[in-house]
Amino acid sequence: MALVGFLTEAIFNVQQRTLESFNSHTLSIAVTGESGSGKSSLINAMRGLRAGDEGAAGSGMLDTMTEPMAYLDPVLPGVTLWDLPGVGSPYFPLDTFFEQHNLSQYEFFIIVGFQRFRFEHARLACEIQRMGKRFYFVRSKADADLDASRRQRPSSYNEERILEQIREDCRRGLAAEGVGHPQVFVVSSWEPNRYDFPLLRQTLQTELLHLKRHAFLLSLPAVALPIINQKKAALKVEIWKIALFSCLLAAVPVPGLSHLCTFFVFRKHLFGYYSNFGVDNRSLLALARQVGRPLWELMAVMTSLGTTPMMALKLLLDSVGAAMMVAEYSWKRLPVFGALVSGGVALVTTFFMLRKCLDSVADNTQRVLSKALEVERENAI
Ligand SMILES: Nc1nc2c(ncn2[C@@H]2O[C@H](COP(=O)(O)OP(=O)(O)OP(=O)(O)O)[C@@H](O)[C@H]2O)c(=O)[nH]1
Ligand SMILES: [Mg+2]
């Protein structure tokens, strides 16, 4: 099966799968945010626990962790909630937080903030977006804000208006850093039946299939890379034989034969590489149709050598043409020695140029795959 055939099928399978078929896949959700923002309390509330219950995450002003802790979500299948140490604490300053915790291992994020929107939140959101991942922004301790408001201005107190102001403050803060359309929930972990807490749970449940698909798609290039490399290694073994064959043909004293041979050898194998990796026109067209994008968009990422086998062939022949002419010239002057030179030139050029082509086609395959998945990722969310 052609490689992109395999990939097109993989993408198709992801599109068609139901939540049940994804249940065996786990989703690691990192709950992150500044120290004391209420991360552990949020996880406890999501698991229907209170601080101090058996199995609950440690919470409290003095209960700071230094290692991520994993908690299984009792309702959402295959979801692990990771309680991360607080950002910006003396142990984990913001600048080194990302390297210290290798955020790329998590598939989805919940950023927990309290009080005013801060720069740290935006930095976290930008870093998550840079990795091509998604997050919800949870503004915790809504009860404390409402309580303060009620005490300060009892006559004009309006719960819904205050909640909306808090949501708006978070959205504005994120938008200022270029984060468009963030999902913001204003919650209190002490009152999980109120404010946006039920909506947060419901949204997570509804989006779980999308999130799992998204996580699966993100992992595809890593899955495909060994297959591409395997295919490349297998084809590389054959290059010696092809080079030897073209060396023998080039040594035959017939004018123009070495040029002709090189042309046919390159043409046959180049076309083979393109179709074998699935980046020939027909496979690309099928892939473009499947991801719903024009063909040129996928082809635009194919930078090395040529986007079609014919273009690559022309480039190759141009670059080996001069070497072939020298070989043929010496062959005409000194028949025996010339035949050796001619054969040697054919051997070396065929070997190195075909290797270069193969590397380039494999590289193009990886690029096309990433582009196709990028499109799919956009569609998945
Ligand atoms: N009023 C109010 N207080 C909360 C809420 N959630 C957490 N707290 C309090 O905020 C403090 C910090 O909560 P934690 O859940 O431990 O915060 P954390 O983000 O896990 O803190 P670190 O692990 O130190 O980073 C505790 O005293 C909690 O009781 C909430 O919804 N409302
Ligand atoms: Mg904690």
Side-chain angles (χ1 to χ4, degrees):
M1 192 195 323
L3 187 69
V4 172
F6 150 75
L7 290 169
T8 351
E9 203 165 286
I11 293 174
F12 179 76
N13 281 341
V14 176
Q15 287 167 333
Q16 298 305 308
R17 284 159 89 166
T18 57
L19 183 57
E20 287 73 49
S21 66
F22 269 102
N23 281 352
S24 56
H25 287 271
T26 56
L27 185 78
S28 293
I29 302 181
V31 180
T32 182
E34 68 217 275
S35 200
S37 58
K39 302 178 294 298
S40 307
S41 305
L42 179 78
I43 291 178
N44 287 339
M46 286 174 86
R47 298 172 67 224
L49 300 174
R50 285 171 174 273
D53 283 355
E54 204 187 322
S59 70
M61 285 325 281
L62 302 174
D63 207 341
T64 296
M65 307 166 328
T66 52
E67 287 298 324
M69 296 284 291
Y71 300 93
L72 274 182
D73 191 299
V75 179
L76 303 177
V79 169
T80 306
L81 300 164
W82 284 89
D83 191 0
L84 299 197
V87 185
S89 67
Y91 305 109
F92 302 108
L94 180 64
D95 285 335
T96 53
F97 183 81
F98 305 118
E99 293 93 67
Q100 280 171 308
H101 289 292
N102 183 21
L103 294 191
S104 62
Q105 65 187 295
Y106 305 106
E107 284 129 349
F108 186 72
F109 294 81
I110 294 178
I111 303 177
V112 185
F114 74 125
Q115 296 173 337
R116 290 201 181 136
F117 188 84
R118 298 206 189 133
F119 170 70
E120 287 84 354
H121 305 143
R123 271 287 303 276
L124 271 172
C126 290
E127 181 62 20
I128 292 164
Q129 279 205 332
R130 197 190 56 73
M131 294 187 293
K133 299 190 177 174
R134 285 195 55 207
F135 69 92
Y136 294 156
F137 187 83
V138 170
R139 171 54 165 76
S140 70
K141 309 190 191 181
D143 60 293
D145 295 275
L146 292 168
D147 197 38
S149 225
R150 199 184 294 112
R151 284 169 199 266
Q152 280 169 358
R153 294 182 207 87
S155 55
S156 61
Y157 178 79
N158 179 325
E159 183 177 295
E160 196 34 58
R161 186 167 48 80
I162 295 163
L163 292 174
E164 190 47 37
Q165 277 170 353
I166 299 174
R167 284 185 205 106
E168 204 35 51
D169 175 54
C170 300
R171 285 192 202 110
R172 220 178 308 121
L174 288 163
E177 295 298 322
V179 181
H181 312 294
Q183 273 168 287
V184 174
F185 302 90
V186 181
V187 308
S188 164
S189 301
W190 289 0
E191 296 172 277
N193 295 323
R194 301 189 66 184
Y195 319 123
D196 293 343
F197 206 109
L199 183 65
L200 168 69
R201 289 297 289 167
Q202 196 192 324
T203 310
L204 200 50
Q205 183 137 24
T206 316
E207 289 198 340
L208 193 60
L209 173 59
H210 289 299
L211 297 176
K212 285 195 171 184
R213 269 185 190 154
H214 187 69
F216 186 78
L217 286 168
L218 282 174
S219 69
L220 261 187
V223 173
L225 192 63
I227 303 172
I228 292 176
N229 286 338
Q230 227 174 33
K231 209 175 251 284
K232 198 165 81 171
L235 289 167
K236 257 187 185 161
V237 175
E238 283 180 9
I239 291 181
W240 263 117
K241 293 180 207 156
I242 304 160
L244 213 58
F245 176 68
S246 76
C247 154
L248 291 175
L249 282 178
V252 178
V254 178
L257 187 68
S258 59
H259 277 88
L260 208 63
C261 290
T262 314
F263 172 79
F264 281 114
V265 167
F266 280 173
R267 201 184 74 148
K268 176 172 179 274
H269 292 283
L270 259 178
F271 275 79
Y273 293 162
Y274 275 75
S275 62
N276 212 318
F277 279 90
V279 283
D280 59 315
N281 234 348
R282 206 164 52 93
S283 311
L284 283 179
L285 202 64
L287 186 64
R289 234 182 264 130
Q290 190 179 357
V291 295
R293 287 291 162 105
L295 179 63
W296 64 262
E297 214 171 276
L298 295 183
M299 290 182 87
V301 296
M302 297 170 69
T303 53
S304 23
L305 265 183
T307 48
T308 64
M310 267 331 266
M311 278 169 69
L313 183 62
K314 189 180 172 314
L315 278 169
L316 270 186
L317 290 173
D318 286 351
S319 58
V320 300
M324 286 295 169
M325 271 165 69
V326 172
E328 209 161 280
Y329 176 79
S330 57
W331 170 77
K332 276 183 196 149
R333 293 283 158 120
L334 303 158
V336 177
F337 178 70
L340 287 175
V341 173
S342 194
V345 169
L347 180 88
V348 173
T349 45
T350 310
F351 180 75
F352 284 106
M353 294 316 280
L354 277 182
R355 269 180 81 114
K356 192 173 168 191
C357 283
L358 186 56
D359 285 341
S360 135
V361 174
D363 177 51
N364 278 340
T365 308
Q366 189 70 17
R367 285 164 187 271
V368 169
L369 167 64
S370 299
K371 184 71 195 170
L373 290 173
E374 190 183 296
V375 174
E376 263 304 304
R377 280 201 291 267
E378 284 165 19
N379 296 343
I381 302 295

